[in-house]
Amino acid sequence: MSGEHARPTSVLFRSAPESAPPPHRTRHGRRGGLGKRLRRRFLAYRDIEFLSTHVPGDTGPGQECLLLVHVRRVVGQIHYRICTTCGEGVITGIDIDKLFLSSGLGTRALSHLQSRHPGTAWTSTLSLRTTRDLLRRMRIPAAVSADIACVHLPATAGPVTTAG
């Protein structure tokens, strides 16, 4: 024990000025900032799998979902409707886990979707700022109306609500 607790706290009674030790950083400690972003980007480009599924239930024909899976856990979803007859696709929802928001995963997922359906003209019904910026970067225009239905597909039923 150094006896520091028994000494007076006033500077006048100290014999030599004490200097604070330099901040100690461990060699393999967690980095912040750029290192953290790079780790997320590597993770998004290396370990994410894309699985395409048909959405079950009353969503209507043509409604599909692209699942973004990281080690048996869904970290994102892109909901879309597609009509192969007229060659049009509408992105109706993008949901990406908070951990992967600034990792480029959204851009990679939309590029994957465009490569899976070549020759498809994509539009979007989304208007949130984060998705709007992503869609602008990917050059996907906003749809004129949110309830666009292709004439080749039967009318889709709206969401079922139950009154109590």
Side-chain angles (χ1 to χ4, degrees):
M1 189 127 160
S2 66
E4 192 68 32
H5 64 280
R7 294 188 183 168
T9 59
S10 173
V11 179
L12 295 174
F13 297 109
R14 290 192 181 160
S15 58
E18 296 178 15
S19 62
H24 181 41
R25 255 185 108 162
T26 59
R27 184 173 184 180
H28 299 289
R30 292 280 183 182
R31 295 181 203 112
L34 182 63
K36 191 173 185 179
R37 273 197 318 248
L38 282 174
R39 260 195 316 281
R40 278 196 316 245
R41 189 168 292 262
F42 287 146
L43 194 73
Y45 277 81
R46 185 186 61 197
D47 295 339
I48 302 292
E49 293 181 61
F50 298 115
L51 302 174
S52 184
T53 63
H54 176 74
V55 179
D58 292 331
T59 57
Q63 184 74 20
E64 307 229 359
C65 181
L66 181 69
L67 296 176
L68 314 173
V69 180
H70 175 255
V71 190
R72 297 182 303 183
R73 186 173 73 110
V74 176
V75 295
Q77 299 177 4
I78 297 180
H79 294 273
Y80 61 97
R81 287 191 310 256
I82 191 160
C83 177
T84 56
T85 307
C86 58
E88 292 182 4
V90 179
I91 297 172
T92 58
I94 297 176
D95 182 33
I96 296 178
D97 217 11
K98 200 173 197 176
L99 176 69
F100 293 100
L101 277 182
S102 63
S103 66
L105 184 59
T107 305
R108 182 172 176 231
L110 289 179
S111 295
H112 177 80
L113 194 62
Q114 288 175 337
S115 69
R116 280 190 70 149
H117 304 284
T120 302
W122 291 97
T123 57
S124 172
T125 60
L126 304 175
S127 62
L128 295 174
R129 195 188 109 236
T130 54
T131 55
R132 194 174 55 227
D133 292 344
L134 171 65
L135 295 168
R136 187 179 303 130
R137 280 194 308 269
M138 294 298 296
R139 294 189 174 118
I140 297 175
V144 178
S145 175
D147 51 337
I148 296 175
C150 179
V151 295
H152 300 107
L153 299 175
T156 59
V160 178
T161 58
T162 57

